[in-house]
Amino acid sequence: MIHSRYHRLVFPPDRPDVPSGISLDVPVLRRRLLRTAQLTAEQERLTGLVRSLLDGHP
């Protein structure tokens, strides 16, 4: 949970009139896991591929 006073809109440099998201550089009041995702075998395989790419492993 993030207190509303810390919500900060983020604008891309090339479009300062269009918000693109919110800033995450704010104090977090509470973090709670809602549930563990149940992935299919194919989703597990794809997740593994993405993790290996992000970790720099072939």
Side-chain angles (χ1 to χ4, degrees):
M1 299 178 114
I2 300 172
H3 196 283
S4 61
R5 75 173 143 229
Y6 293 110
H7 286 168
R8 301 284 184 262
L9 292 177
V10 177
F11 299 88
D14 59 337
R15 295 286 312 270
D17 57 328
V18 179
S20 63
I22 62 168
S23 171
L24 296 178
D25 188 22
V26 297
V28 176
L29 301 176
R30 180 174 52 181
R31 206 173 97 178
R32 181 176 59 162
L33 177 64
L34 299 178
R35 66 177 173 89
T36 303
Q38 298 298 319
L39 301 178
T40 65
E42 178 65 6
Q43 290 170 328
E44 288 280 358
R45 185 183 74 79
L46 293 172
T47 301
L49 288 173
V50 170
R51 283 188 182 134
S52 67
L53 288 171
L54 294 174
D55 291 341
H57 300 104

